[in-house]
Amino acid sequence: MLQIAGGVVAAGVVAAGTTALTGAGVVFTGGSTPGVGGDNQFIGGAVSQVINGATVNSVTLTTDGTGTHTTRIVVVVAGANGKTLTITPTGGSGLSGGATQWSCAGNINAGPVLHASAPVVTLTAATATVTCDTMDANPSVAGYYLGITSVGLAVA
């Protein structure tokens, strides 16, 4: 599972038939509140992970000033054209503030893809960018994910 803390890419990725990997150049500075006041952040350079022939180039979270209200997740994956990507945010208390689902668009087939917890998209580019925003039922941008502590990525 690709771990995210305070919007900074952290450590391992799990995909079908593989085990977790740890990125080189990653240092954990402990704390008790993810994303707040320097707690639970990873430092030490860029991290990319290879999963079943694909590479996770980046995962970026858009949060408020406290780091606890996440409104967007952007994932860039290379080498997985035609494969499915499942994005699973976890931790905290989930979707809040009016948001009831994630709406994902980008280099995907038949977007936007709407899902309440773990969107599954089919990638349509050699290097695919997938942007998932918190939404209400309309769907229009609304609310946030409260207290996200990790983002799981699976490519199949």
Side-chain angles (χ1 to χ4, degrees), residues 27-29 38 50 53-54 61-62 67 72-73 76 79 89 92 99 105 124 128 132 149 155:
V27 178
F28 178 72
T29 57
V50 176
L61 303 180
T62 301
R72 174 176 280 178
I73 300 170
V76 180
T124 61
C132 298
T149 57
V155 173

Side-chain angles (χ1 to χ4, degrees), residues 58 115 122 141 147 149:
S58 66
H115 199 280
T122 300
V141 177
T149 57

Side-chain angles (χ1 to χ4, degrees), residues 41-146:
Q41 293 184 24
F42 288 82
I43 56 175
V47 176
S48 65
Q49 301 295 333
V50 176
I51 49 178
N52 283 352
T55 300
V56 177
N57 289 346
S58 66
V59 178
T60 307
L61 303 180
T62 301
T63 62
D64 67 351
T66 68
T68 61
H69 294 179
T70 301
T71 57
R72 174 176 280 178
I73 300 170
V74 179
V75 179
V76 180
V77 178
N81 189 10
K83 295 182 181 180
T84 60
L85 171 66
T86 304
I87 302 169
T88 310
T90 59
S93 59
L95 292 168
S96 301
T100 58
Q101 61 192 342
W102 291 96
S103 176
C104 299
N107 301 116
I108 63 174
N109 188 23
V113 171
L114 305 172
H115 199 280
S117 59
V120 178
V121 299
T122 300
L123 303 174
T124 61
T127 299
T129 300
V130 180
T131 301
C132 298
D133 291 301
T134 56
M135 297 283 176
D136 59 11
N138 288 335
S140 62
V141 177
Y144 48 85
Y145 189 108
L146 182 60

